[in-house]
Amino acid sequence: RIINPNSVFFQGQFGSASACTTKPLTNEEWRSIMLYVLLNSPAAEPYKQEFLREFWTASRLPEAHEIDTLISQGSGPQWRDFISWFWRKAQTDMSISSELCAVACGCDLRVRSFNGYDVNGFRFHMTSYEESRPNRSATNSGVVTIDTDGKEYHGRVLEIYELSFYGAPHLKPVI
């Protein structure tokens, strides 16, 4: 879940539970983060649907894996993926809010990285931080999310990043 108390785009209560360092993202990490942000942002959902209508050409409805491929890779070498399509859309569609336009332009390639973060009353730590503390009394690096089909997905917190978006200094979601 993406959070930021100063925005209707990202909501929640949060705070740093550790000092931070600055880390450069690889292009692969940046693309993965941007897809996550766009696909989990309700404000971007209508544009995702528009993208799918424009680029899905088969007469049948796409299956989930086909949607994932189309969004992340486009429909071929000459076609854009969702990130580049949405960036272009934000440059030409004046009805897109300035906040959503800033998100469409992408986050900075440098992020703030934290060992721990408080989210909605719960403290989470990176797995590597917890493993470095052999006498810890609790483990707070596990997460669970429930998909729209009700299936539970369990994981571990590997990284905690605070993003910043060009043109929107108040927009600093933590993922």
Side-chain angles (χ1 to χ4, degrees), residues 78-140:
Q78 72 277 19
W79 300 105
R80 294 176 290 202
D81 62 9
F82 182 61
I83 294 171
S84 58
W85 177 88
F86 191 50
W87 176 84
R88 180 86 158 180
K89 179 83 171 168
Q91 304 305 307
T92 59
D93 186 339
M94 295 301 130
S95 68
I96 295 178
S97 72
S98 60
E99 191 172 66
L100 188 53
C101 187
V103 171
C105 290
C107 67
D108 193 340
L109 285 170
R110 297 188 65 77
V111 296
R112 293 176 67 191
S113 178
F114 296 87
N115 286 326
Y117 220 82
D118 294 331
V119 179
N120 294 331
F122 298 95
R123 177 163 290 174
F124 293 92
H125 288 109
M126 291 180 7
T127 302
S128 60
Y129 173 78
E130 289 200 342
E131 289 172 351
S132 72
R133 302 184 66 209
N135 296 324
R136 64 188 179 272
S137 59
T139 298
N140 296 326

